Amino acid sequence: MTPPNGPSAAVLKLLGAMRGDRQDPDTERGQALVRLIIVGIVALYIIFEVLAARMPLNRAGLALLAYMGFSVIFSVSVYLAILRAPGPNHPRRWLGMAHDYIGITFTMAIGGKILLPVYSVLLWVTVGNGLRYGPNYLAAATCLALLSLSASAYISPYWRENPYLVATLVVTAIIVPAYAYLLLTQIRQARDEAAAANRAKSSLLAQASHDLRQPVHAISLFTACLRDSNLAAEEWKMVDNIDKSLQSVSRLFRSLLDVSTLDSGRVTPRMEVVAIGEVLDDVIRLNSEAARWANVTLQSVATEAFVRIDPILIATMVQNVVSNALKYARGRPVLIGCRRRGASLAIEVHDRGQGISERHLPKVFDEFYRAGDQGMDGVGLGLSIVKRLADLMRLEISIESRPGRGTVVKIAGLEMVKTDHHRASPNRSRPLTMLDGLRVVLIDDDKDVLLATATLLEKWGCMVQPETSMPSADTSCDLIVTDFELDGGRTGLQCIDFLRRSNGRWIPAVIMTGHDIKIVIEALSGEDIPILSKPVRPAELRSAVMAQKLNAKGGGLSASNLANP
């Protein structure tokens, strides 16, 4: 879910403190800032009462003014200390609470009825400190409030003369924190139930997306096999239409999985140095077929810039923006480029489509929002995912559009990195060769996917050995293509390790998965194995297989992984 803003965010922060989550640096800083403001207001109130001659400037009055001056200095010092060292600090919290209650007691005891309004500050200290820092602090703050009231009643003649007033203030000091605690506890329970429902929804989306990806993946590969057959023009057009529909469904599944993954909170950016030009080239390559269907000229401006970014997340962002451009700029050119902004870089996607009216622009990043009913596919998740990923990596996302003139989407804030080396990409630096005779072990527990993938690989000239589980120890091959999660608790990575050990040599591999790619990357522990997200486009699979064959020939990957699988 998108993080809340405004008052609801403050309530959720209080709820976080109530359940013991006290790691938010804004908690103490916010309390210190409010303390500084209130101390200033009370000091001005006392000065006003002195100037109005309603408070005598005797020894008690001078002592009160002196203490308020000390309180201002103390409050500023605590605030600056929090800025220098943010985060939970229990001694600092207790010191602040002690100052608050001593000051309130001193002020109410000396000021009498003139400073009776300071009682409201006592309630703020009790509720504020207590609810910000948790139930233990709330109980301690309530006890300190009662001690403060008792001391004020004992010292001040005015309070001793009004016992019913004291009793009223004491009861209020007990009831208000207790009632606030009760209400926020109920809100917390409701929030926890909503969070549990949201997690269940995300889990359902992820599982449903994975289960539905399998047949769509198989259909996509079967249609690729049909394309390689001798089809008449009419049959070719039908296959083309099937492919278009499959691409729409595939985009929807990818969006649903992205949303469920973001909702789960498992997405953590893995920053690394990336040649951003290669990322953009990959996006163009993967969208070449969709661009042909939309009659769009899709191009990128060459760049040799390197940035520090999560390559998977930034590719997902650009992919979603480009998909939108292809949908709404049919028959028009789309250009992807980069623009330097000081020490940072911005990726820009320009199209000359129909544009977006000004009234829609503020809402285009909302989930399920579509700018008007234009008869296009999709459910309005693409740009909302882009916005959430941008927030996650602290990037800036903006959109400019003029109806009839086109749209520009900018992803800014990418940190540029100076580097003297360029990592070679074997599939770009070497000419592609045929796959005839390549021995492939194909592992997938879904028989339809297994048959479709095997048929496609065989049409490309590969010799395929299909397996639904762990192959036998005497299996020999040139390449392993495997699903990640298999029946019986096995994984594709275990199959890869087993085949490499049984063959006594390093064998290139490709992993296909319908799950969150981040989980697969973590399981790989840095091993350089291509990961394809289902439904896999035939062009993606062919490119990955060809690249791994070239790696095996050219020694592009080290065999040292065999020693530490």
Side-chain angles (χ1 to χ4, degrees):
M1 296 174 63
T2 306
N5 296 311
S8 59
V11 172
L12 290 180
K13 286 185 178 181
L14 287 178
L15 289 172
M18 293 288 289
R19 71 173 188 270
D21 179 14
R22 307 180 186 111
Q23 303 304 315
D24 186 356
D26 288 337
T27 301
E28 289 191 32
R29 185 167 63 245
Q31 188 76 357
L33 180 60
V34 175
R35 176 189 293 116
L36 183 59
I37 294 172
I38 290 180
V39 167
I41 293 174
V42 172
L44 291 175
Y45 174 73
I46 293 174
I47 293 172
F48 176 78
E49 292 296 317
V50 170
L51 294 177
R54 285 191 289 267
M55 177 179 289
L57 198 57
N58 51 20
R59 290 178 60 185
L62 290 174
L64 188 57
L65 288 175
Y67 185 83
M68 294 311 300
F70 166 77
S71 293
V72 171
I73 296 173
F74 176 86
S75 300
V76 171
S77 300
V78 171
Y79 185 74
L80 294 177
I82 293 173
L83 293 181
R84 286 193 298 267
N89 187 312
H90 295 284
R92 189 168 59 199
R93 293 177 180 179
W94 283 107
L95 179 63
M97 289 177 63
H99 164 270
D100 294 341
Y101 283 108
I102 291 174
I104 291 170
T105 303
F106 185 66
T107 303
M108 290 194 302
I110 292 179
K113 67 177 181 179
I114 295 178
L115 292 182
L116 188 59
V118 174
Y119 174 75
S120 61
V121 178
L122 181 139
L123 287 180
W124 165 78
V125 171
T126 304
V127 176
N129 282 313
L131 296 187
R132 281 182 190 268
Y133 302 145
N136 292 335
Y137 279 91
L138 180 60
T142 303
C143 293
L144 290 175
L146 295 177
L147 287 175
S148 175
L149 289 174
S150 300
S152 299
Y154 179 78
I155 297 172
S156 173
Y158 170 76
W159 284 55
R160 289 198 300 270
E161 294 170 1
N162 295 274
Y164 294 107
L165 173 62
V166 175
T168 301
L169 298 181
V170 168
V171 172
T172 305
I174 296 174
I175 290 178
V176 170
Y179 188 59
Y181 178 80
L182 177 63
L183 291 178
L184 286 174
T185 299
Q186 293 175 348
I187 296 175
R188 180 191 61 189
Q189 293 173 347
R191 196 280 310 273
D192 289 344
E193 292 175 1
N198 187 59
R199 287 193 297 270
K201 179 263 297 182
S202 298
S203 178
L204 175 63
L205 280 177
Q207 189 60 46
S209 176
H210 172 263
D211 292 344
L212 291 172
R213 279 171 182 260
Q214 296 289 89
V216 172
H217 173 66
I219 295 171
S220 175
L221 298 183
F222 278 130
T223 56
C225 294
L226 285 175
R227 283 182 178 276
D228 292 337
S229 305
N230 296 322
L231 299 177
E234 185 175 353
E235 285 82 3
W236 180 272
K237 185 175 181 181
M238 291 175 64
V239 171
D240 210 38
N241 289 333
I242 293 173
D243 252 353
K244 291 179 182 178
S245 300
L246 282 172
Q247 290 302 320
S248 298
V249 175
S250 176
R251 282 195 297 269
L252 178 58
F253 286 157
R254 290 177 189 269
S255 296
L256 289 174
L257 187 60
D258 288 341
V259 169
S260 65
T261 303
L262 287 168
D263 283 347
S264 71
R266 296 195 309 266
V267 180
T268 302
R270 288 190 169 191
M271 300 301 194
E272 59 184 79
V273 177
V274 176
I276 195 63
E278 294 184 4
V279 174
L280 301 184
D281 288 344
D282 284 339
V283 172
I284 288 182
R285 176 176 55 83
L286 294 177
N287 286 275
S288 58
E289 192 71 11
R292 181 181 67 83
W293 290 331
N295 193 27
V296 168
T297 303
L298 180 60
Q299 295 179 318
S300 68
V301 179
T303 176
E304 297 183 354
F306 282 77
V307 297
R308 190 180 306 279
I309 199 70
D310 186 310
I312 294 177
L313 298 186
I314 193 65
T316 300
M317 293 175 67
V318 178
Q319 169 64 41
N320 285 0
V321 174
V322 170
S323 293
N324 262 26
L326 295 180
K327 285 191 294 184
Y328 297 107
R330 296 183 183 275
R332 308 289 180 88
V334 174
L335 181 66
I336 312 173
C338 297
R339 192 184 302 274
R340 294 175 183 266
R341 295 183 177 180
S344 65
L345 194 75
I347 300 174
E348 300 184 1
V349 179
H350 295 248
D351 71 62
R352 295 184 182 177
Q354 56 195 0
I356 304 171
S357 64
E358 188 174 350
R359 66 187 180 90
H360 289 299
L361 284 177
K363 300 180 180 180
V364 294
F365 294 111
D366 294 346
E367 288 186 353
F368 304 109
Y369 185 82
R370 299 178 63 192
D373 185 13
Q374 303 175 46
M376 302 297 180
D377 59 341
V379 292
L381 287 173
L383 289 182
S384 69
I385 292 172
V386 172
K387 180 64 168 64
R388 293 176 67 173
L389 291 177
D391 293 341
L392 194 64
M393 294 190 288
R394 297 182 179 179
L395 301 177
E396 299 175 9
I397 180 74
S398 62
I399 184 169
E400 301 172 3
S401 187
R402 295 177 62 185
R405 301 292 296 274
T407 303
V408 181
V409 179
K410 301 177 182 180
I411 304 171
L414 283 77
E415 177 191 355
M416 295 187 63
V417 178
K418 293 183 179 180
T419 180
D420 297 327
H421 66 280
H422 294 258
R423 291 170 295 177
S425 297
N427 58 322
R428 290 187 175 87
S429 60
R430 301 165 183 252
L432 298 182
T433 59
M434 296 298 293
L435 298 175
D436 290 336
L438 184 69
R439 297 175 301 165
V440 179
V441 170
L442 176 64
I443 309 169
D444 200 305
D445 53 15
D446 187 297
K447 293 183 178 180
D448 289 335
V449 172
L450 188 68
L451 175 61
T453 310
T455 304
L456 189 60
L457 289 172
E458 288 172 350
K459 282 185 172 291
W460 292 340
C462 300
M463 299 172 60
V464 182
Q465 177 180 332
E467 301 282 354
T468 57
S469 59
M470 184 74 75
S472 60
D474 59 351
T475 300
S476 180
C477 62
D478 303 314
L479 176 69
I480 306 165
V481 179
T482 177
D483 191 12
F484 179 73
E485 188 174 279
L486 304 171
D487 286 341
R490 299 275 190 177
T491 67
L493 185 58
Q494 291 173 325
C495 294
I496 294 170
D497 290 339
F498 174 75
L499 287 174
R500 287 176 175 177
R501 286 181 175 277
S502 61
N503 280 267
R505 63 185 178 88
W506 179 84
I507 303 174
V510 175
I511 288 179
M512 299 187 294
T513 182
H515 291 282
D516 179 13
I517 289 183
K518 288 286 183 180
I519 297 177
V520 182
I521 292 176
E522 291 176 2
L524 291 179
S525 300
E527 187 168 353
D528 194 0
I529 298 179
I531 305 170
L532 303 179
S533 179
K534 293 181 180 179
V536 178
R537 302 176 190 176
E540 291 179 273
L541 179 59
R542 185 182 181 91
S543 176
V545 170
M546 184 65 72
Q548 292 303 86
K549 178 180 179 180
L550 292 172
N551 279 333
K553 281 188 174 183
L557 293 176
S558 171
S560 62
N561 291 325
L562 187 59
N564 299 292

Short mmCIF file of all heavy atoms in Angstrom, two decimals, residues 32-77:
data_model
loop_
_atom_site.label_atom_id
_atom_site.label_comp_id
_atom_site.label_asym_id
_atom_site.label_seq_id
_atom_site.Cartn_x
_atom_site.Cartn_y
_atom_site.Cartn_z
N ALA A 32 10.48 17.17 20.55
CA ALA A 32 11.36 18.27 20.96
C ALA A 32 10.93 19.58 20.31
O ALA A 32 11.00 20.65 20.92
CB ALA A 32 12.80 17.95 20.60
N LEU A 33 10.47 19.51 19.04
CA LEU A 33 10.05 20.72 18.36
C LEU A 33 8.78 21.29 19.00
O LEU A 33 8.67 22.51 19.21
CB LEU A 33 9.80 20.41 16.88
CG LEU A 33 9.34 21.58 16.00
CD1 LEU A 33 10.38 22.69 16.01
CD2 LEU A 33 9.06 21.12 14.57
N VAL A 34 7.83 20.41 19.33
CA VAL A 34 6.60 20.88 19.99
C VAL A 34 6.93 21.46 21.36
O VAL A 34 6.35 22.48 21.78
CB VAL A 34 5.58 19.73 20.10
CG1 VAL A 34 4.36 20.18 20.88
CG2 VAL A 34 5.16 19.25 18.72
N ARG A 35 7.86 20.82 22.08
CA ARG A 35 8.28 21.35 23.39
C ARG A 35 8.82 22.77 23.24
O ARG A 35 8.48 23.66 24.02
CB ARG A 35 9.34 20.45 24.01
CG ARG A 35 9.89 21.02 25.34
CD ARG A 35 11.09 20.25 25.85
NE ARG A 35 10.72 18.90 26.24
CZ ARG A 35 11.17 17.80 25.64
NH1 ARG A 35 12.01 17.90 24.61
NH2 ARG A 35 10.78 16.62 26.05
N LEU A 36 9.66 22.97 22.24
CA LEU A 36 10.25 24.29 22.02
C LEU A 36 9.18 25.33 21.73
O LEU A 36 9.21 26.46 22.25
CB LEU A 36 11.24 24.21 20.85
CG LEU A 36 12.02 25.47 20.50
CD1 LEU A 36 12.84 25.96 21.70
CD2 LEU A 36 12.93 25.22 19.31
N ILE A 37 8.19 24.97 20.93
CA ILE A 37 7.11 25.90 20.60
C ILE A 37 6.28 26.23 21.84
O ILE A 37 5.97 27.40 22.11
CB ILE A 37 6.22 25.31 19.49
CG1 ILE A 37 7.02 25.18 18.18
CG2 ILE A 37 4.97 26.16 19.28
CD1 ILE A 37 6.29 24.44 17.09
N ILE A 38 5.91 25.22 22.62
CA ILE A 38 5.07 25.44 23.80
C ILE A 38 5.80 26.26 24.85
O ILE A 38 5.22 27.16 25.48
CB ILE A 38 4.58 24.10 24.36
CG1 ILE A 38 3.57 23.47 23.39
CG2 ILE A 38 3.96 24.28 25.74
CD1 ILE A 38 3.01 22.15 23.85
N VAL A 39 7.09 25.95 25.07
CA VAL A 39 7.86 26.73 26.04
C VAL A 39 7.90 28.19 25.62
O VAL A 39 7.76 29.11 26.45
CB VAL A 39 9.29 26.16 26.17
CG1 VAL A 39 10.20 27.13 26.91
CG2 VAL A 39 9.26 24.83 26.91
N GLY A 40 8.07 28.44 24.34
CA GLY A 40 8.07 29.82 23.85
C GLY A 40 6.74 30.51 24.08
O GLY A 40 6.69 31.68 24.49
N ILE A 41 5.63 29.78 23.83
CA ILE A 41 4.29 30.36 24.03
C ILE A 41 4.05 30.67 25.50
O ILE A 41 3.54 31.75 25.87
CB ILE A 41 3.21 29.40 23.49
CG1 ILE A 41 3.32 29.29 21.96
CG2 ILE A 41 1.82 29.87 23.90
CD1 ILE A 41 2.38 28.26 21.36
N VAL A 42 4.42 29.73 26.40
CA VAL A 42 4.23 29.95 27.85
C VAL A 42 5.07 31.14 28.31
O VAL A 42 4.61 31.98 29.12
CB VAL A 42 4.59 28.68 28.63
CG1 VAL A 42 4.58 28.96 30.14
CG2 VAL A 42 3.62 27.56 28.31
N ALA A 43 6.31 31.25 27.81
CA ALA A 43 7.17 32.37 28.20
C ALA A 43 6.55 33.69 27.77
O ALA A 43 6.54 34.68 28.54
CB ALA A 43 8.56 32.20 27.58
N LEU A 44 6.02 33.74 26.53
CA LEU A 44 5.38 34.98 26.06
C LEU A 44 4.13 35.29 26.88
O LEU A 44 3.84 36.47 27.18
CB LEU A 44 5.01 34.83 24.58
CG LEU A 44 6.19 34.78 23.59
CD1 LEU A 44 5.69 34.51 22.18
CD2 LEU A 44 6.97 36.10 23.63
N TYR A 45 3.38 34.26 27.29
CA TYR A 45 2.19 34.46 28.10
C TYR A 45 2.55 35.07 29.46
O TYR A 45 1.89 35.99 29.94
CB TYR A 45 1.46 33.13 28.28
CG TYR A 45 0.29 33.19 29.23
CD1 TYR A 45 -0.90 33.82 28.87
CD2 TYR A 45 0.36 32.61 30.49
CE1 TYR A 45 -1.98 33.87 29.73
CE2 TYR A 45 -0.70 32.65 31.37
CZ TYR A 45 -1.87 33.28 30.98
OH TYR A 45 -2.93 33.35 31.84
N ILE A 46 3.63 34.55 30.07
CA ILE A 46 4.06 35.07 31.37
C ILE A 46 4.51 36.52 31.24
O ILE A 46 4.16 37.39 32.07
CB ILE A 46 5.18 34.18 31.95
CG1 ILE A 46 4.62 32.80 32.29
CG2 ILE A 46 5.79 34.83 33.19
CD1 ILE A 46 5.68 31.81 32.73
N ILE A 47 5.27 36.82 30.19
CA ILE A 47 5.73 38.19 29.97
C ILE A 47 4.54 39.13 29.78
O ILE A 47 4.50 40.25 30.32
CB ILE A 47 6.67 38.26 28.76
CG1 ILE A 47 7.98 37.50 29.06
CG2 ILE A 47 6.98 39.70 28.38
CD1 ILE A 47 8.89 37.36 27.87
N PHE A 48 3.54 38.67 29.03
CA PHE A 48 2.33 39.49 28.80
C PHE A 48 1.61 39.76 30.13
O PHE A 48 1.16 40.88 30.38
CB PHE A 48 1.40 38.77 27.83
CG PHE A 48 0.11 39.48 27.61
CD1 PHE A 48 0.03 40.59 26.77
CD2 PHE A 48 -1.06 39.06 28.24
CE1 PHE A 48 -1.18 41.26 26.57
CE2 PHE A 48 -2.26 39.73 28.06
CZ PHE A 48 -2.32 40.83 27.20
N GLU A 49 1.50 38.74 30.98
CA GLU A 49 0.82 38.91 32.27
C GLU A 49 1.61 39.88 33.17
O GLU A 49 1.01 40.66 33.92
CB GLU A 49 0.65 37.56 32.96
CG GLU A 49 -0.34 36.62 32.28
CD GLU A 49 -1.75 37.19 32.28
OE1 GLU A 49 -2.19 37.72 33.32
OE2 GLU A 49 -2.41 37.13 31.22
N VAL A 50 2.92 39.80 33.11
CA VAL A 50 3.75 40.74 33.90
C VAL A 50 3.55 42.16 33.40
O VAL A 50 3.37 43.11 34.20
CB VAL A 50 5.23 40.32 33.84
CG1 VAL A 50 6.11 41.42 34.45
CG2 VAL A 50 5.44 39.01 34.58
N LEU A 51 3.59 42.36 32.07
CA LEU A 51 3.42 43.70 31.51
C LEU A 51 2.02 44.24 31.77
O LEU A 51 1.83 45.46 31.90
CB LEU A 51 3.69 43.67 30.00
CG LEU A 51 5.15 43.36 29.59
CD1 LEU A 51 5.26 43.28 28.07
CD2 LEU A 51 6.09 44.42 30.15
N ALA A 52 1.03 43.36 31.85
CA ALA A 52 -0.34 43.79 32.13
C ALA A 52 -0.59 43.99 33.62
O ALA A 52 -1.72 44.29 34.01
CB ALA A 52 -1.32 42.76 31.57
N ALA A 53 0.46 43.79 34.41
CA ALA A 53 0.40 44.02 35.86
C ALA A 53 -0.54 43.06 36.57
O ALA A 53 -0.99 43.32 37.69
CB ALA A 53 0.01 45.46 36.16
N ARG A 54 -0.87 41.93 35.93
CA ARG A 54 -1.69 40.93 36.59
C ARG A 54 -0.84 39.93 37.37
O ARG A 54 -1.35 39.19 38.19
CB ARG A 54 -2.56 40.21 35.55
CG ARG A 54 -3.73 41.04 35.06
CD ARG A 54 -4.70 40.22 34.25
NE ARG A 54 -4.13 39.85 32.95
CZ ARG A 54 -4.31 40.55 31.84
NH1 ARG A 54 -5.04 41.67 31.87
NH2 ARG A 54 -3.78 40.16 30.70
N MET A 55 0.46 39.92 37.06
CA MET A 55 1.39 39.07 37.81
C MET A 55 2.45 39.96 38.42
O MET A 55 3.15 40.69 37.68
CB MET A 55 2.04 38.02 36.89
CG MET A 55 3.07 37.14 37.61
SD MET A 55 3.79 35.89 36.54
CE MET A 55 2.38 34.81 36.36
N PRO A 56 2.59 39.96 39.73
CA PRO A 56 3.57 40.84 40.38
C PRO A 56 5.00 40.42 40.04
O PRO A 56 5.32 39.23 39.95
CB PRO A 56 3.28 40.66 41.87
CG PRO A 56 2.66 39.30 41.97
CD PRO A 56 1.86 39.13 40.72
N LEU A 57 5.87 41.41 39.83
CA LEU A 57 7.26 41.14 39.50
C LEU A 57 8.08 41.09 40.79
O LEU A 57 9.00 41.87 41.02
CB LEU A 57 7.81 42.23 38.56
CG LEU A 57 9.09 41.86 37.79
CD1 LEU A 57 8.88 40.60 36.96
CD2 LEU A 57 9.50 43.02 36.88
N ASN A 58 7.70 40.17 41.68
CA ASN A 58 8.41 39.98 42.94
C ASN A 58 9.47 38.89 42.75
O ASN A 58 9.79 38.49 41.64
CB ASN A 58 7.44 39.63 44.05
CG ASN A 58 6.52 38.48 43.64
OD1 ASN A 58 6.83 37.72 42.73
ND2 ASN A 58 5.38 38.37 44.31
N ARG A 59 9.98 38.38 43.88
CA ARG A 59 11.03 37.37 43.79
C ARG A 59 10.52 36.11 43.09
O ARG A 59 11.22 35.50 42.28
CB ARG A 59 11.51 37.01 45.20
CG ARG A 59 12.29 38.15 45.87
CD ARG A 59 12.69 37.77 47.29
NE ARG A 59 13.54 36.56 47.28
CZ ARG A 59 13.95 35.96 48.39
NH1 ARG A 59 13.61 36.45 49.60
NH2 ARG A 59 14.71 34.89 48.32
N ALA A 60 9.27 35.74 43.38
CA ALA A 60 8.71 34.55 42.74
C ALA A 60 8.55 34.78 41.23
O ALA A 60 8.85 33.90 40.41
CB ALA A 60 7.37 34.21 43.36
N GLY A 61 8.09 35.98 40.85
CA GLY A 61 7.93 36.29 39.44
C GLY A 61 9.25 36.30 38.70
O GLY A 61 9.36 35.80 37.56
N LEU A 62 10.29 36.89 39.33
CA LEU A 62 11.61 36.91 38.69
C LEU A 62 12.17 35.50 38.55
O LEU A 62 12.80 35.15 37.53
CB LEU A 62 12.56 37.77 39.52
CG LEU A 62 12.28 39.27 39.50
CD1 LEU A 62 13.19 40.01 40.49
CD2 LEU A 62 12.45 39.83 38.09
N ALA A 63 11.94 34.67 39.59
CA ALA A 63 12.40 33.28 39.53
C ALA A 63 11.71 32.52 38.39
O ALA A 63 12.32 31.72 37.67
CB ALA A 63 12.15 32.59 40.86
N LEU A 64 10.41 32.83 38.22
CA LEU A 64 9.66 32.17 37.15
C LEU A 64 10.18 32.58 35.78
O LEU A 64 10.35 31.75 34.88
CB LEU A 64 8.18 32.50 37.29
CG LEU A 64 7.21 31.74 36.38
CD1 LEU A 64 7.35 30.24 36.57
CD2 LEU A 64 5.78 32.19 36.66
N LEU A 65 10.46 33.89 35.59
CA LEU A 65 11.00 34.36 34.32
C LEU A 65 12.37 33.75 34.06
O LEU A 65 12.70 33.38 32.92
CB LEU A 65 11.08 35.88 34.33
CG LEU A 65 9.75 36.63 34.22
CD1 LEU A 65 9.97 38.13 34.37
CD2 LEU A 65 9.09 36.33 32.87
N ALA A 66 13.18 33.64 35.11
CA ALA A 66 14.51 33.04 34.96
C ALA A 66 14.41 31.58 34.53
O ALA A 66 15.15 31.10 33.67
CB ALA A 66 15.30 33.17 36.25
N TYR A 67 13.45 30.88 35.16
CA TYR A 67 13.30 29.47 34.80
C TYR A 67 12.81 29.31 33.36
O TYR A 67 13.22 28.38 32.65
CB TYR A 67 12.33 28.78 35.76
CG TYR A 67 12.23 27.28 35.49
CD1 TYR A 67 13.18 26.42 36.02
CD2 TYR A 67 11.22 26.77 34.70
CE1 TYR A 67 13.14 25.06 35.76
CE2 TYR A 67 11.16 25.41 34.42
CZ TYR A 67 12.12 24.56 34.96
OH TYR A 67 12.06 23.22 34.68
N MET A 68 11.92 30.21 32.91
CA MET A 68 11.45 30.12 31.52
C MET A 68 12.60 30.36 30.54
O MET A 68 12.67 29.74 29.49
CB MET A 68 10.32 31.12 31.28
CG MET A 68 9.04 30.83 32.06
SD MET A 68 8.46 29.10 31.91
CE MET A 68 8.23 28.99 30.15
N GLY A 69 13.51 31.29 30.92
CA GLY A 69 14.68 31.49 30.07
C GLY A 69 15.53 30.23 29.98
O GLY A 69 16.00 29.84 28.89
N PHE A 70 15.70 29.57 31.14
CA PHE A 70 16.45 28.30 31.15
C PHE A 70 15.73 27.25 30.31
O PHE A 70 16.38 26.47 29.59
CB PHE A 70 16.60 27.82 32.59
CG PHE A 70 17.05 26.38 32.69
CD1 PHE A 70 18.39 26.05 32.47
CD2 PHE A 70 16.15 25.38 33.00
CE1 PHE A 70 18.79 24.72 32.55
CE2 PHE A 70 16.54 24.06 33.08
CZ PHE A 70 17.88 23.73 32.85
N SER A 71 14.39 27.22 30.37
CA SER A 71 13.63 26.23 29.61
C SER A 71 13.80 26.42 28.11
O SER A 71 13.90 25.44 27.37
CB SER A 71 12.14 26.31 29.98
OG SER A 71 11.93 25.90 31.32
N VAL A 72 13.83 27.68 27.69
CA VAL A 72 14.04 27.94 26.26
C VAL A 72 15.41 27.41 25.84
O VAL A 72 15.55 26.74 24.79
CB VAL A 72 13.91 29.44 25.96
CG1 VAL A 72 14.34 29.73 24.53
CG2 VAL A 72 12.48 29.92 26.20
N ILE A 73 16.44 27.71 26.62
CA ILE A 73 17.80 27.25 26.30
C ILE A 73 17.85 25.72 26.30
O ILE A 73 18.43 25.10 25.41
CB ILE A 73 18.82 27.84 27.29
CG1 ILE A 73 18.86 29.36 27.16
CG2 ILE A 73 20.19 27.24 27.06
CD1 ILE A 73 19.72 30.04 28.21
N PHE A 74 17.23 25.10 27.31
CA PHE A 74 17.21 23.63 27.41
C PHE A 74 16.51 23.02 26.20
O PHE A 74 17.00 22.05 25.60
CB PHE A 74 16.51 23.22 28.70
CG PHE A 74 16.35 21.73 28.84
CD1 PHE A 74 17.37 20.95 29.37
CD2 PHE A 74 15.17 21.09 28.42
CE1 PHE A 74 17.22 19.57 29.50
CE2 PHE A 74 15.03 19.73 28.53
CZ PHE A 74 16.05 18.96 29.07
N SER A 75 15.36 23.57 25.82
CA SER A 75 14.59 23.01 24.71
C SER A 75 15.35 23.12 23.39
O SER A 75 15.36 22.19 22.58
CB SER A 75 13.24 23.73 24.59
OG SER A 75 12.48 23.58 25.78
N VAL A 76 16.01 24.26 23.17
CA VAL A 76 16.82 24.44 21.95
C VAL A 76 17.98 23.44 21.95
O VAL A 76 18.28 22.81 20.92
CB VAL A 76 17.34 25.88 21.85
CG1 VAL A 76 18.35 26.01 20.72
CG2 VAL A 76 16.19 26.86 21.65
N SER A 77 18.62 23.25 23.11
CA SER A 77 19.76 22.33 23.20
C SER A 77 19.34 20.89 22.90
O SER A 77 20.04 20.16 22.18
CB SER A 77 20.39 22.41 24.59
OG SER A 77 20.85 23.72 24.86
#
